């Protein structure tokens, strides 16, 4: 019995101090500290956002703040609807454009590219991810916006703008700075992130699985859809969420091209604003408790949106896993 | 061993901070605030550094930012285009003085129209910024510009996305000349703009106006000059159409009664005078009455006094308007009578005047 107890104690993970070296204990302590630190910082941020935003929510009421579009520093009436919609719409455009493109790039690099092209394209994508976002903003303002205003926007307004249901979405003055332009710049910014993550997870699929699928006679698409994606969906969804999070929080690139107008328009080619750009523009100047509290309130709303997006993603993954069990 | 490391690190930090705080010679001054006077402050700072070796670190984060930072005491002085209200200055124990004057200029980007060709008056300008006049060939604009062929382009209004003293001066003018503007929008550093897109800083507005055809914005005159933008003529209070020039800014400031204004609280828009430019403004410097770091405050005062006496030519080059001598003497008197060290000694002495 003694020897069994000794063997049990000697197993890794046993909590007996005598079996652990000093290095192990220090490392254990540091990792605990780091993990606890992350939780502490998150809690501190939530508390700070809440206490900072409380004067605004007390004055306006949380739901009224969320649904009012007026933003008037003179009469001190603040409502977060315009930045909220701007953030959601520009991020939605970024994902709608960015997701298929990133998926295509990742697919190309892992499945279809000839070996001599894999490296350059992969490196190019990673270089794009390293460019600072303010450079994207400047490029967007000086190069993309005029090009878009002169060549692409009139075409879109004349074709898509005339369609019955989605027509009103594609109207607006040919300025080149609008919610739509911000969405496109964001798409260009998040494509490198999502495609790198997707490429990395696609490459973790064991070659044997792929080869056996090819051997049975599947097409490349069938292999990707039925073998690679189901195995890597957690990582792929994680990459998408990473990109979406970056798009929602992006400040400088959006400020340059979104137009900074506190107005709600149905049309995508009209200027608007986003939560991050509003805070960046107005925080240093905000004098008065209510003004500052409203800006912090916007930050809290962004935090809540990100949380909801993450929760939805986790829910979707759980659902997909459950469905997998049923269909096999 | 851990305690040993902690105590030695603490000792190093403490000695370093003691070293920094006891260093009496000032080599750098820190200030923050208005973007309106940034070009001239930058020019003065580089000339002053060549003359004395003392650097100025000025962050043009906007008037509101400057006021916030001086309230938090993170900078040696704050700069604001909108003068702080006398009650607020008393509450925080600060003083302000006007350092430089300049003009806010409406700038346009309209094909076929050069600088000084387009005439606007206060009501029309306000209607454009209210979004009520939407096309350049509107009859209200055409009525003021007989003989000028106005294109049928849509007007894009460009305003500031951040709060700023330039906006304060501009909206002060619009509120004075248009009852509709005063009722609907008001006069403040940040307002709820009824129309248009917002650029960040004077630089942002200048960049948007240059980019967007058919746009109109407002910038400080130095930005209009340096970016070679197209400005408009404005009708002043006396009914004359004047161009934004240093002489016309000076004409607006000539009649200003600084000695009647407590804490120099005076807004120079829409002043009488046949050549007066209607959107003129002064930019103010704010310091504490009770100088916690007297060497830093003295360095700041010496710099601005040097700018008063030696910076006039540089100001003229950039089309800013230096303060008249009478106001310089008033400011020097304010410094010597108001600013004190913790022990009650005056920080500014008459022998410190930078003649």
């Amino acid at each position: 019995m003694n020897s069994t107890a000794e063997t049990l104690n000697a197993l890794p993970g046993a909590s007996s101090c005598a079996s652990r070296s000093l290095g192990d204990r220090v490392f254990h302590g540091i990792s605990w500290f780091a993990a606890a630190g992350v939780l502490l910082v998150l809690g501190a941020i939530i508390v700070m956002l809440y206490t900072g935003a409380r004067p605004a929510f007390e004055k306006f009421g949380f739901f009224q703040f969320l649904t009012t579009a007026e933003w008037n520093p003179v009469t001190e009436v603040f409502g977060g609807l315009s930045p909220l919609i701007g953030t959601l719409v520009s991020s939605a455009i970024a994902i709608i454009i960015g997701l298929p493109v990133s998926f295509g790039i990742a697919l190309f690099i892992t499945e279809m590219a000839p070996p001599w092209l894999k490296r350059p394209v992969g490196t190019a994508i990673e270089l794009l991810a390293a460019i600072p976002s303010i450079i994207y903003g400047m490029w967007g303002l000086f190069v993309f916006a005029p090009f878009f205003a002169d060549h692409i926007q009139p075409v879109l307004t004349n074709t898509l703008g005339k369609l019955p249901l989605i027509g009103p979405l594609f109207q607006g003055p040919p300025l080149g700075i609008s919610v739509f332009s911000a969405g496109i710049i964001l798409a260009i910014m998040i494509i490198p992130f999502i495609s790198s993550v997707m490429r990395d997870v696609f490459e973790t699929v064991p070659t044997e699985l792929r080869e056996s699928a090819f051997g049975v006679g599947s097409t490349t698409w069938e292999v990707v859809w039925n073998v690679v994606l189901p195995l890597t969906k957690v990582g792929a969804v994680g990459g998408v969420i990473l990109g979406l999070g970056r798009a929602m929080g992006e400040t400088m690139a959006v400020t340059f091209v979104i137009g900074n107008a506190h107005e709600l328009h149905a049309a995508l080619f009209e200027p608007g604003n986003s939560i991050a750009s509003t805070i960046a523009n107005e925080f240093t100047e905000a004098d008065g408790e209510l003004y500052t509290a409203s800006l912090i309130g916007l930050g809290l709303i962004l935090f809540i949106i990100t949380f909801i997006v993450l929760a939805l993603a986790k829910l979707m993954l759980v659902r997909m896993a459950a469905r997998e069990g049923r269909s096999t | 061993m851990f305690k040993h490391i902690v105590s030695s690190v603490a000792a190093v930090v403490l000695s370093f901070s003691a070293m920094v705080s006891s260093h009496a010679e000032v080599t750098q001054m820190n200030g923050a605030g208005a973007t309106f006077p940034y070009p001239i402050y930058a020019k003065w700072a580089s000339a002053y550094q060549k003359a004395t070796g003392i650097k100025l670190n000025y962050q043009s984060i906007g008037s509101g930012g400057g006021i916030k930072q001086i309230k938090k005491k993170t900078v040696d002085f704050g700069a604001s285009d909108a003068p702080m209200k006398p009650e607020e200055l008393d509450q925080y124990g600060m003083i302000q003085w006007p350092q430089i004057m300049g003009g806010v200029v409406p700038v346009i980007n309209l094909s076929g129209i050069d600088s000084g060709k387009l005439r606007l008056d206060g009501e029309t300008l306000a209607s454009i910024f209210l979004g009520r006049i939407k096309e350049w060939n509107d009859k209200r604009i055409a009525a003021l510009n007989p003989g000028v062929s106005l294109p049928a382009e849509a007007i894009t209004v460009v305003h500031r996305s951040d709060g700023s003293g330039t906006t304060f001066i501009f909206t002060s003018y619009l509120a004075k000349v248009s009852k509709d503007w005063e009722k609907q929008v008001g006069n403040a550093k940040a307002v709820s703009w009824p129309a248009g897109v917002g650029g960040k800083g004077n630089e942002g507005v200048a960049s948007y106006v240059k980019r967007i055809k058919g746009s109109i914005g407002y910038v400080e005159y130095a930005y209009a000059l340096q970016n070679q933008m197209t400005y408009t003529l404005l009708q002043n209070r006396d009914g004359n159409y004047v161009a934004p020039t240093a002489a016309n800014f000076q004409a607006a400031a000539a009649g200003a009664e600084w000695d009647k204004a407590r804490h120099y609280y005076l807004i120079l828009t829409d002043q009488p005078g046949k050549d007066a430019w209607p959107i003129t403004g002064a930019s103010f410097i704010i310091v504490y009455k009770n100088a916690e770091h007297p060497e830093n405050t003295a360095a700041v005062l010496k710099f601005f006094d040097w700018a008063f006496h030696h910076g006039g030519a540089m100001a003229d080059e950039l089309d800013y308007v230096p303060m008249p001598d009478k106001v310089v003497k008033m400011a020097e008197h304010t410094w010597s009578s108001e600013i004190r060290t913790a022990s009650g000694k005056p920080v500014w002495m008459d022998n410190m005047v930078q003649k």
Side-chain angles (χ1 to χ4, degrees):
Chain A
M1 188 134 116
N2 258 351
S3 63
T4 322
E6 277 169 2
T7 332
L8 281 174
N9 266 346
L11 285 173
S15 53
S16 150
C17 283
S19 67
R20 287 225 188 144
S21 65
L22 175 65
D24 257 348
R25 266 189 287 160
V26 168
F27 186 69
H28 190 76
I30 290 178
S31 358
W32 257 103
F33 183 69
V38 168
L39 286 174
L40 261 170
V41 167
L42 183 65
I45 292 179
I46 295 178
V47 167
M48 181 224 103
L49 283 176
Y50 179 68
T51 49
R54 199 143 55 118
F57 291 144
E58 269 169 11
K59 174 92 191 286
F60 301 120
F62 185 70
F63 286 106
Q64 194 184 335
F65 187 77
L66 269 183
T67 52
T68 316
E70 189 183 350
W71 187 270
N72 193 332
V74 176
T75 57
E76 295 217 307
V77 176
F78 298 107
L81 187 62
S82 172
L84 174 63
I85 299 284
T87 306
L88 291 175
V89 170
S90 58
S91 309
I93 295 172
I95 282 289
I96 290 173
I97 298 177
L99 183 55
V101 174
S102 326
F103 181 62
I105 292 175
L107 200 61
F108 179 77
I109 295 179
T110 53
E111 299 291 334
M112 302 192 287
W116 57 268
L117 198 52
K118 263 195 209 193
R119 260 297 177 76
V121 176
T123 318
I125 290 291
E126 267 153 35
L127 279 174
L128 265 182
I131 296 178
S133 57
I134 196 168
I135 303 287
Y136 278 107
M138 287 171 61
W139 175 82
L141 180 62
F142 291 126
V143 177
F144 179 75
F147 173 72
F148 188 74
D150 291 336
H151 298 108
I152 306 187
Q153 197 169 326
V155 173
L156 283 177
T157 313
N158 288 329
T159 53
L160 292 174
K162 301 268 172 37
L163 296 179
L165 260 180
I166 58 170
L169 278 181
F170 293 94
Q171 304 288 339
L175 299 177
I177 47 181
S178 60
V179 178
F180 193 77
S181 302
I184 294 187
I185 301 288
L186 282 175
I188 299 175
M189 281 178 60
I190 66 176
I191 282 171
F193 278 91
I194 303 181
S195 55
S196 309
V197 173
M198 278 188 174
R199 181 195 57 176
D200 287 339
V201 292
F202 285 178
E203 278 176 357
T204 63
V205 173
T207 345
E208 302 87 40
L209 282 176
R210 276 219 217 91
E211 297 296 324
S212 30
F214 278 124
V216 176
S218 317
T219 61
T220 316
W221 173 250
E222 282 170 348
V223 170
V224 167
W225 192 250
N226 295 312
V227 178
V228 173
L229 267 185
L231 268 175
T232 57
K233 62 173 177 294
V234 176
V237 168
V240 173
I241 296 301
L242 193 69
L244 187 59
R246 189 165 190 221
M248 290 201 294
E250 184 51 52
T251 309
M252 284 325 286
V254 170
T255 304
F256 273 93
V257 291
I258 202 168
N260 299 313
H262 268 289
E263 281 155 27
L264 269 185
H265 297 277
L268 290 175
F269 293 150
E270 294 270 1
N273 57 2
S274 76
I275 292 178
S277 78
T278 306
I279 298 177
N281 274 322
E282 302 186 29
F283 201 77
T284 50
E285 290 296 320
D287 45 6
E289 197 199 3
L290 203 54
Y291 198 172
T292 317
S294 304
L295 288 170
I296 300 181
L298 282 179
L300 181 62
I301 292 174
L302 184 60
F303 190 82
I304 295 175
I305 298 175
T306 317
F307 183 76
I308 292 177
V309 164
L310 259 167
L312 282 174
K314 280 268 177 315
L315 202 67
M316 185 178 76
L317 281 172
V318 164
R319 281 260 186 83
M320 290 205 302
R323 227 181 310 136
E324 238 173 49
R326 264 181 274 138
S327 63
T328 50
Chain B
M1 187 177 121
F2 187 60
K3 269 198 258 199
H4 187 77
I5 296 175
V6 167
S7 52
S8 46
V9 166
V12 169
V13 168
L14 278 171
S15 56
F16 185 67
S17 58
M19 200 169 67
V20 168
S21 60
S22 68
H23 207 236
E25 218 198 282
V26 176
T27 51
Q28 177 163 300
M29 309 173 278
N30 296 310
T35 58
F36 180 95
Y38 175 61
I40 186 58
Y41 289 172
K43 204 166 176 146
W44 282 339
S46 80
Y48 190 68
Q49 188 182 354
K50 284 205 192 71
T52 64
I54 303 178
K55 279 201 276 264
L56 169 66
N57 171 23
Y58 181 75
Q59 300 295 320
S60 68
I61 55 178
S63 304
I67 293 176
K68 237 194 218 159
Q69 296 309 313
I70 188 67
K71 280 184 185 169
K72 289 205 187 114
K73 302 186 182 171
T74 61
V75 288
D76 299 320
F77 68 89
S80 170
D81 297 327
M84 284 178 74
K85 295 227 169 61
E87 310 82 55
E88 207 182 349
L89 285 168
D90 289 334
Q91 182 192 351
Y92 284 91
M94 302 196 267
I95 58 157
Q96 71 189 359
W97 70 89
Q99 181 65 33
I100 191 79
M101 291 185 286
V104 176
V105 179
V107 286
I108 59 173
N109 178 344
L110 199 53
S111 45
I113 308 282
D114 296 325
S115 278
K117 261 187 61 189
L118 189 71
R119 298 174 159 202
L120 292 172
D121 66 5
E123 270 290 349
T124 317
L125 189 61
S127 300
I128 293 177
F129 275 83
L130 279 169
R132 298 210 184 139
I133 301 184
K134 295 200 207 275
E135 305 245 315
W136 280 110
N137 60 353
D138 188 283
K139 48 180 163 36
R140 284 167 281 188
I141 305 181
L144 299 171
N145 293 279
V148 177
S149 73
L150 296 165
E153 268 182 74
I155 301 183
T156 304
V157 167
V158 182
H159 54 76
R160 292 283 291 267
S161 63
D162 49 338
S164 91
T166 317
T167 301
F168 180 81
I169 297 172
F170 188 65
T171 53
S172 147
Y173 170 67
L174 291 180
K176 282 185 186 169
V177 296
S178 163
K179 289 252 170 323
D180 287 336
W181 182 272
E182 194 184 356
K183 230 186 325 169
Q184 191 178 333
V185 185
N187 166 27
K189 290 203 281 269
V191 295
S192 173
W193 295 95
V197 297
K200 191 164 166 50
N202 272 306
E203 317 83 55
V205 173
S207 153
Y208 274 177
V209 171
K210 288 194 85 171
R211 199 143 308 287
I212 301 173
K213 300 198 214 355
S215 57
I216 179 169
Y218 61 92
V219 291
E220 198 285 314
Y221 189 55
Y223 289 86
L225 252 190
Q226 289 178 1
N227 291 300
Q228 283 147 356
M229 306 185 73
T230 311
Y231 57 80
T232 68
L233 301 181
L234 268 187
Q235 189 180 41
N236 64 12
R237 195 148 149 192
D238 285 14
N240 301 325
Y241 284 97
V242 289
T245 62
N248 294 348
F249 301 158
Q250 216 139 32
E257 297 177 318
W258 291 106
D259 34 9
K260 292 229 180 70
R262 196 165 95 79
H263 275 302
Y264 300 96
Y265 187 84
L266 192 60
I267 302 171
L268 290 175
T269 48
D270 205 34
Q271 294 288 318
K274 72 173 174 62
D275 290 323
W277 176 255
I279 326 182
T280 313
S283 193
F284 295 79
I285 304 291
I286 304 158
V287 296
Y288 279 93
K289 281 204 284 212
N290 191 354
E292 283 178 11
H293 301 281
E295 328 78 50
N296 291 16
T297 310
V300 166
L301 295 177
K302 274 201 224 150
F303 169 68
F304 283 117
D305 198 58
W306 179 91
F308 272 143
H309 293 286
H310 300 275
M314 287 179 263
D316 287 335
E317 267 174 50
L318 288 179
D319 266 280
Y320 285 88
V321 181
M323 303 306 298
D325 283 330
K326 156 178 100 162
V327 180
V328 172
K329 289 208 174 41
M330 284 173 67
E332 286 166 349
H333 177 75
T334 308
W335 298 342
S336 62
S337 60
E338 299 277 347
I339 306 180
R340 296 274 176 273
T341 65
S343 49
K345 284 195 301 152
V347 173
W348 180 259
M349 250 81 77
D350 286 333
N351 62 4
M352 288 162 77
V353 172
Q354 305 276 311
K355 272 277 190 269

